Amino acid sequence: MSEVKDTQGQLWEVFIQTKKGLPFKHAGSVHAFDKEMAIQNARDLYTRRGEGRGMWVVPADAIVAVDPSDDESFFDPSNDKIYRHPTFYELPEGIKNM
Amino acid sequence: MGAEELDVLFQERIDANEKIEPRDQMPEEYRKHLIRQMSQHAHSEVIGMQPEGNWITRAPSLRAKKILLAKVQDEAGHGLYIYSATETLGISREELIDRLHQGKAKYASIFNYPALSWGDMGAIGWLVDGAAITNQVSLQKTSYGPYARSMVKICMEESFHQRQGYEIMAQMAKGTPEQKEMAQDALDRVWWPALMMFGPHDSDSPRTGNAMKWKIKRESNDVLRQRFIDKTVSQAELIGLTIPDPDLKWNEERGSYDFGEIDWDEFWSVVKGGGPCNIKRLNHHKKAHKDGEWVRKAAAAYAQKQSKN
Amino acid sequence: MERLDLSKFCIRLGDSCLIMAHRQSEMCSKGPFLEEDIAQTNLGLDLLGQAEALLIYAAKLEGNGRTADDLAFRRPEREFYNFMLTEQPNTDFAFAIVRQYIMALYLTKVYETLAKVEDETISGVALKAVKEIAYHERHLGMWVKRLGDGTNESHDRIQTAVNELWMFVGELYEEDDLDVKLQEAGYAISGEEMKAYLMDKISAQLADATLSVPESVYMTTGSKKGIHTEYLGYMLTEMQYLQRAYPDAKW
């Protein structure tokens, strides 16, 4: 076996779902040497006070991020398309269930 | 765009109270300052596990044992939150630990004092965590996003720590004469080092200028220290303990307590390595790290083998 | 089950949990990395909670005015009934893992059984504990595999731990008069069943971790009569110090 380096493991990002049905939110990161350890470490660090019902861990280097300098071209166009928002539409008074 | 222009844009964002996030453009000095401050904050949480850890095996009741263990565990967790936030600045935890071991990174000087009695468990929870809370509440508004968010999470957990400490003091203060003496003795030894946690007068602090300009630091050392004292004095009075400062006096005009001068010789000496426990604390950390090397390597080796299959 | 027998039973189980929790808490701030420090403390807190619940109930059943704290902090060594395995020291991380892993397997069976008993206090404690111990087994089993099948050094260290702790496993399936009563009342499984279960589980896990099961030459005995290894005395000296030094104080 080749010489094993002494490290703190890999970096994993942790996402927690506080209640079934809600989206997963980024909670922070943990170090671990493999998947099983990452899940356990994340549970021990981020759910000691009942903060979660569901959890994902992802190796940090698997995450693809939008570069902040691309913000304008990446995100602004969707701001222009205001017809995507429910408040764009005028509805007759008295309408129900919409 | 040139470096100067970028710095101007950056400062405009800071002045507009925008949060800076990990991949945002930032001056190298800002990044370095944060790495130093945040990693030292994280190191403090971890080293802080030692003085209190010193009494876990001697906690005098099942309830006290449970609570102290949970508190020290929280400190480890806080260290992890802040290491996690620091790593977003592009530095590894291995590097941070190495800097601590080399003496290139510091930690809060308060932990260089010994925890000599059960009374210290009370005094540390009440005063040291109390001072930390005052500082951390202010840091919730720091300009760097990940740091601010970790402060919010920590503040939510920290108030249990302070209550735990105060409860111990209150219990001892109304207990046997020996218990009351123990509590007062702990207060006598922890009070001034707790005040020193807020750092030197801002006029004597070389980094304060940048820290305030970049809104890393939101309030001055002296303001935070005064706030802590004003909150704490009545807490001591309520349980019949005396704060060891003969110059402590309510100033009606200022609406604040006047207090005695800190022993700055002691302050600087401990910061520079001359405290009673500096060597012990660092050696403990180094030993745990060394003892754990074979375990970390085993975990890495196992993972390597699995990925080959 | 008779009240005093049940009390004795709760003390035995509570003592094991307490001493285990104490050993675990000694590891605080000494973990191989920070996440594992937290993990170990979590396990310790679970065990401490179980110990407290059991000792509170034991004191209540005893009905002579002793509290759980009296039981924990005022009894001498010869009146403690924890398994000798639980008091073995944290010689290194491997010793801690093996000790805790074997106890986690044992406690799984014990709590599974107690979850179904008539006594509501005990079944309540057990139902909660079953969930906690399931996680302990998972976490500790994970480490048994990684240490056994990691590096040569880790393999040697954990094999040494298994070899040296093996003599303490026999107590976990021993039976005395109280055990027989407990079995008849449905509070415990037979010694044979426990032995078979433990040996199955342990040998499977060790094999998976490329480790070998030691040959049982000698199994120690005596903790149910308050006979212990030399370690317990020192542990109690530390643990009981404040209560003994200040006997009139309330903490």
Side-chain angles (χ1 to χ4, degrees):
Chain A
M1 204 194 319
S2 59
E3 184 58 35
V4 183
K5 271 182 63 184
D6 180 20
T7 68
Q8 293 278 306
Q10 290 79 47
L11 192 62
W12 303 70
E13 299 296 338
V14 181
F15 299 82
I16 305 230
Q17 182 194 44
T18 47
K19 243 168 54 170
K20 294 256 174 276
L22 291 180
F24 282 74
K25 267 174 58 174
H26 182 240
S29 61
V30 283
H31 281 249
F33 292 84
D34 58 58
K35 285 192 292 204
E36 174 66 25
M37 200 182 289
I39 278 275
Q40 291 187 22
N41 287 349
R43 177 258 198 199
D44 284 332
L45 181 58
Y46 291 107
T47 68
R48 280 204 314 285
R49 286 171 162 82
E51 295 96 316
R53 300 308 301 165
M55 193 166 62
W56 295 339
V57 293
V58 183
D61 55 20
I63 294 188
V64 182
V66 175
D67 203 295
S69 62
D70 292 337
D71 267 2
E72 278 183 24
S73 64
F74 211 85
F75 293 117
D76 276 1
S78 58
N79 284 346
D80 290 345
K81 299 182 173 58
I82 60 177
Y83 49 76
R84 286 200 175 112
H85 292 265
T87 47
F88 177 77
Y89 299 93
E90 257 182 54
L91 298 177
E93 285 216 18
I95 183 114
K96 291 197 197 348
N97 305 324
M98 196 175 296
Chain B
M1 217 185 277
E4 265 183 41
E5 277 182 30
L6 286 171
D7 285 355
V8 167
L9 280 179
F10 175 79
Q11 193 59 49
E12 280 174 9
R13 293 191 62 200
I14 296 284
D15 294 339
N17 280 325
E18 277 180 41
K19 283 274 181 269
I20 310 298
E21 294 297 340
R23 302 181 54 173
D24 289 352
Q25 192 282 324
M26 61 181 82
E28 185 57 19
E29 272 313 306
Y30 177 81
R31 197 182 77 93
K32 283 198 178 124
H33 187 119
L34 275 175
I35 287 178
R36 185 179 41 243
Q37 179 168 333
M38 289 166 72
S39 65
Q40 291 187 167
H41 196 160
H43 293 326
S44 300
E45 298 283 354
V46 176
I47 300 291
M49 293 168 72
Q50 290 184 41
E52 286 175 302
N54 193 33
W55 281 90
I56 290 173
T57 54
R58 290 176 291 174
S61 73
L62 292 174
R63 181 170 179 269
K65 205 177 175 78
K66 234 175 18 179
I67 293 178
L68 185 56
L69 194 50
K71 179 187 194 283
V72 177
Q73 182 191 43
D74 267 357
E75 309 300 356
H78 294 176
L80 277 173
Y81 298 153
I82 306 177
Y83 280 133
S84 168
T86 314
E87 285 184 280
T88 64
L89 288 164
I91 185 166
S92 71
R93 202 194 296 174
E94 284 93 345
E95 175 69 31
L96 296 176
I97 290 176
D98 196 47
R99 288 187 190 182
L100 174 67
H101 289 174
Q102 306 268 352
K104 292 181 189 157
K106 296 196 184 319
Y107 52 87
S109 289
I110 183 72
F111 301 121
N112 289 320
Y113 291 86
L116 297 176
S117 75
W118 182 251
D120 291 54
M121 295 304 102
I124 290 174
W126 171 37
L127 301 174
V128 175
D129 285 74
I133 288 171
T134 306
N135 185 40
Q136 281 156 189
V137 165
S138 184
L139 279 173
Q140 283 177 128
K141 298 210 172 69
T142 195
S143 55
Y144 189 55
Y147 195 18
R149 289 189 286 277
S150 70
M151 289 298 107
V152 171
K153 202 168 161 68
I154 287 174
C155 283
M156 287 194 312
E157 300 179 355
E158 201 82 64
S159 63
F160 129 62
H161 297 183
Q162 194 185 26
R163 279 178 215 195
Q164 170 254 12
Y166 188 63
E167 188 189 72
I168 290 175
M169 292 303 257
Q171 178 79 349
M172 292 176 72
K174 69 176 199 254
T176 65
E178 284 148 325
Q179 281 180 301
K180 183 157 187 187
E181 202 183 309
M182 199 188 284
Q184 183 62 59
D185 171 67
L187 173 53
D188 289 345
R189 283 180 292 100
V190 177
W191 176 254
W192 290 102
L195 294 191
M196 292 179 198
M197 284 173 72
F198 293 97
H201 291 308
D202 297 279
S203 47
D204 297 327
S205 173
R207 300 200 217 277
T208 292
N210 274 344
M212 298 292 263
K213 180 176 95 162
W214 289 326
K215 296 192 179 168
I216 292 175
K217 194 172 173 46
R218 299 313 304 265
E219 291 168 292
S220 75
N221 293 348
D222 291 323
V223 161
L224 293 173
R225 185 172 11 243
Q226 182 70 68
R227 182 175 303 152
F228 170 70
I229 292 172
D230 290 342
K231 273 194 316 182
T232 309
V233 175
S234 64
Q235 292 169 351
E237 287 168 354
L238 191 66
I239 54 178
L241 294 178
T242 310
I243 291 180
D245 181 358
D247 298 320
L248 189 66
K249 212 166 67 171
W250 178 251
N251 183 320
E252 191 60 49
E253 248 182 74
R254 293 198 306 125
S256 258
Y257 282 93
D258 289 337
F259 56 98
E261 195 60 38
I262 287 172
D263 182 346
W264 294 110
D265 286 339
E266 182 183 327
F267 174 84
W268 288 113
S269 161
V270 177
V271 164
K272 295 189 174 126
C277 297
N278 297 55
I279 295 175
K280 183 173 198 253
R281 299 290 180 237
L282 201 56
N283 279 351
H284 178 114
H285 196 273
K286 285 179 179 171
K287 180 173 196 295
H289 186 77
K290 190 157 201 306
D291 288 348
E293 186 178 338
W294 70 269
V295 179
R296 295 189 295 271
K297 285 187 169 174
Y302 180 86
Q304 259 178 43
K305 288 186 202 177
Q306 303 317 301
S307 67
K308 286 201 186 116
N309 293 343
Chain C
M1 283 283 313
E2 270 200 43
R3 187 173 55 88
L4 288 178
D5 284 338
L6 208 50
S7 176
K8 243 185 121 183
F9 168 63
C10 288
I11 288 183
R12 280 184 183 177
L13 190 55
D15 281 354
S16 277
C17 292
L18 177 62
I19 298 302
M20 276 179 80
H22 188 91
R23 273 296 184 222
Q24 200 116 28
S25 75
E26 288 173 355
M27 292 168 61
C28 194
S29 82
K30 298 180 183 155
F33 50 96
L34 212 44
E35 282 87 351
E36 187 56 26
D37 221 297
I38 292 187
Q40 291 293 326
T41 330
N42 257 351
L43 303 191
L45 279 168
D46 284 345
L47 292 165
L48 198 44
Q50 291 160 23
E52 194 186 15
L54 288 162
L55 291 178
I56 285 175
Y57 195 46
K60 181 172 173 206
L61 289 168
E62 222 183 42
N64 64 1
R66 284 207 289 192
T67 64
D69 277 347
D70 290 331
L71 290 175
F73 295 93
R74 307 278 182 136
R75 272 181 301 154
E77 301 81 336
R78 294 282 281 105
E79 286 170 33
F80 263 78
Y81 303 106
N82 56 290
F83 289 128
M84 287 192 232
L85 176 60
T86 62
E87 66 205 44
Q88 299 314 300
N90 299 315
T91 306
D92 68 9
F93 189 68
F95 271 81
I97 293 296
V98 173
R99 179 192 71 224
Q100 288 154 216
Y101 177 67
I102 295 175
M103 282 303 299
L105 292 177
Y106 169 80
L107 288 174
T108 300
K109 247 315 165 227
V110 167
Y111 286 132
E112 259 173 33
T113 310
L114 293 177
K116 305 184 203 135
V117 300
E118 257 183 13
D119 186 301
E120 278 177 13
T121 306
I122 293 186
S123 63
V125 172
L127 281 164
K128 178 165 180 266
V130 156
K131 290 187 237 177
E132 293 171 345
I133 292 292
Y135 187 74
H136 291 208
E137 199 185 316
R138 183 174 175 177
H139 184 84
L140 297 163
M142 174 189 81
W143 275 113
V144 170
K145 281 195 13 200
R146 279 145 185 76
L147 297 184
D149 196 12
T151 60
N152 291 338
E153 180 177 2
S154 70
H155 180 97
D156 288 345
R157 281 180 183 258
I158 190 172
Q159 186 66 67
T160 301
V162 171
N163 295 347
E164 292 187 14
L165 293 173
W166 199 249
M167 64 187 273
F168 299 108
V169 176
E171 284 203 316
L172 273 51
Y173 49 80
E174 254 181 4
E175 288 165 320
D176 68 358
D177 292 337
L178 177 55
D179 291 312
V180 174
K181 286 189 198 169
L182 289 163
Q183 287 163 29
E184 284 166 0
Y187 281 72
I189 58 175
S190 72
E192 260 174 57
E193 245 185 280
M194 180 59 91
K195 180 177 181 179
Y197 156 78
L198 284 175
M199 291 307 162
D200 273 349
K201 276 261 172 170
I202 293 175
S203 34
Q205 190 74 10
L206 290 183
D208 217 15
T210 76
L211 295 163
S212 33
V213 179
E215 281 167 32
S216 301
V217 175
Y218 164 68
M219 286 296 184
T220 194
T221 180
S223 64
K224 283 173 180 165
K225 299 195 184 91
I227 303 288
H228 291 276
T229 63
E230 290 175 344
Y231 294 115
L232 186 67
Y234 285 103
M235 290 175 73
L236 294 182
T237 305
E238 235 177 86
M239 195 169 88
Q240 299 183 341
Y241 157 67
L242 277 174
Q243 284 231 10
R244 294 209 184 252
Y246 303 95
D248 301 325
K250 282 203 188 21
W251 304 94

